[in-house]
Amino acid sequence: MVRQRIGDGQYEVNMTHGTTNNETDGTAPKSAEPRDVAQDGTAPDGTALRDVAQDGTAPDGTAKLFNAMPSHRKTLLAILRFCRCPHKVPEVLALVEEERLKSFTHYSAADYCVLLEQAGSLCKVTEDGKDYTQAKAEPAVVEEDGMEYLVANEPPEAFWVTTDAGAAYLEADKPLERLRGLVASESRYQRIYEEVLLLCLDEKGRSIAEIDAALDNDQLLQEPRIYARHFVDLLEKCDALDWVDSWKTSSLGRQWLEEARASETEGGAK
């Protein structure tokens, strides 16, 4: 395991056991259990992660998981969206592998699914929608040379599907509203938010060094001293910026920029 510092006194434990798509039933090694996500079972917000991973009975299990893993939010949401309709386990793992390419992470595809399952956000079912844990592969009776033998059958194929709790979290997740609220609460820095998104509009995007160079000497950021990457972090959490080899303004970020420009034009016309 590799420990990576994520805050004062907090460490996120990245797993390097290398779970692969060969685990077609979606079962990750025990190291994928949520208590391994942080050094001592404590999430960045102080939540004990054994409380995060409920069996689905706790209505806030999904929210606790997302609060404990903010940097993995987009991947977790992508899984829940994809699994609104049941999908075979290998299909889900393939989707997560694509998401993993967009960010540096030691979590395997199966790890994410198991974490969501333990939080009550995702569940495994059979093809006909029954609880997979209750499914049994009855042995077949084979007759040979007048003798009957029991032959083990293959277990039923597993599907991942988003639970009601996971669907409710998806429905409540409104990143554009969060972005509007963020900028409204920090209206002094609206121009900075706009400039970060404008810098990252083109196809090649911008590195954090380029964003720093463009904005860190801005007088607005001198007192109190704030660095441009602070705004990058907040914009990413509102889905306004995406990291795809560089920082790029997302479609949501573009939508907000259009709103901001329209509002400024309207205000200037009055």
Side-chain angles (χ1 to χ4, degrees), residues 66 73 77 81 167-178 237 239:
F66 275 80
R73 181 178 163 277
L77 285 173
R81 290 194 193 99
Y169 189 88
L170 275 176
E171 187 67 27
D173 182 62
K174 302 184 185 300
L176 183 56
E177 290 185 12
R178 286 203 310 276
K237 289 177 180 177
D239 295 350

Side-chain angles (χ1 to χ4, degrees), residues 250-268:
S250 68
S251 57
L252 184 145
R254 292 170 184 268
Q255 181 181 346
W256 180 81
L257 272 176
E258 290 176 4
E259 289 183 6
R261 289 169 177 171
S263 178
E264 289 167 4
T265 300
E266 182 181 333

Side-chain angles (χ1 to χ4, degrees), residues 3-246:
R3 293 192 300 169
Q4 177 183 354
R5 190 176 181 88
I6 59 174
D8 291 338
Q10 297 291 337
Y11 291 84
E12 182 176 13
V13 178
N14 293 323
M15 294 166 289
T16 56
H17 47 67
T19 306
T20 69
N21 284 11
N22 292 330
E23 298 175 82
T24 55
D25 64 350
T27 302
K30 289 185 178 180
S31 57
E33 293 180 10
R35 60 175 171 270
D36 288 333
V37 175
Q39 181 186 21
D40 58 358
T42 303
D45 63 352
T47 304
L49 286 181
R50 56 178 170 272
D51 295 331
V52 172
Q54 299 291 338
D55 60 2
T57 58
D60 59 347
T62 302
K64 287 182 177 179
L65 175 62
F66 275 80
N67 288 339
M69 302 179 68
S71 61
H72 303 275
R73 181 178 163 277
K74 289 183 180 179
T75 301
L76 295 171
L77 285 173
I79 296 170
L80 293 182
R81 290 194 193 99
F82 186 65
C83 293
R84 280 185 177 273
C85 295
H87 283 278
K88 297 176 183 179
V89 166
E91 294 174 345
V92 179
L93 298 183
L95 168 83
V96 183
E97 284 301 323
E98 291 182 13
E99 291 296 318
R100 290 177 73 247
L101 294 177
K102 300 176 184 177
S103 60
F104 179 79
T105 177
H106 288 290
Y107 286 103
S108 73
D111 292 335
Y112 285 110
C113 293
V114 171
L115 287 166
L116 285 166
E117 180 186 32
Q118 292 176 326
S121 320
L122 202 66
C123 67
K124 199 183 298 180
V125 297
T126 60
E127 187 173 8
D128 56 4
K130 294 180 180 178
D131 183 354
Y132 189 84
T133 61
Q134 302 300 317
K136 296 181 180 179
E138 297 294 338
V141 179
V142 177
E143 185 175 336
E144 184 177 333
D145 297 330
M147 299 289 292
E148 289 187 343
Y149 300 91
L150 291 179
V151 178
N153 276 325
E154 291 294 322
E157 191 165 27
F159 293 72
W160 284 118
V161 65
T162 300
T163 64
D164 290 344
Y169 189 88
L170 275 176
E171 187 67 27
D173 182 62
K174 302 184 185 300
L176 183 56
E177 290 185 12
R178 286 203 310 276
L179 178 56
R180 289 169 179 158
L182 170 66
V183 178
S185 67
E186 297 190 343
S187 56
R188 176 186 180 189
Y189 299 108
Q190 176 166 338
R191 176 174 61 80
I192 302 298
Y193 283 110
E194 291 181 21
E195 290 190 23
V196 172
L197 293 176
L198 288 169
L199 277 170
C200 301
L201 269 178
D202 60 45
E203 290 185 2
K204 71 174 184 178
R206 290 288 186 274
S207 68
I208 193 65
E210 290 174 318
I211 298 172
D212 285 344
L215 294 175
D216 275 348
N217 291 325
D218 192 296
Q219 286 302 310
L220 190 58
L221 303 183
Q222 303 310 306
E223 185 61 42
R225 189 66 173 109
I226 303 177
Y227 294 92
R229 60 190 63 202
H230 165 77
F231 300 95
V232 171
D233 180 56
L234 293 175
L235 286 167
E236 182 193 20
K237 289 177 180 177
C238 291
D239 295 350
L241 280 179
D242 290 325
W243 174 260
V244 187
D245 297 324
S246 62

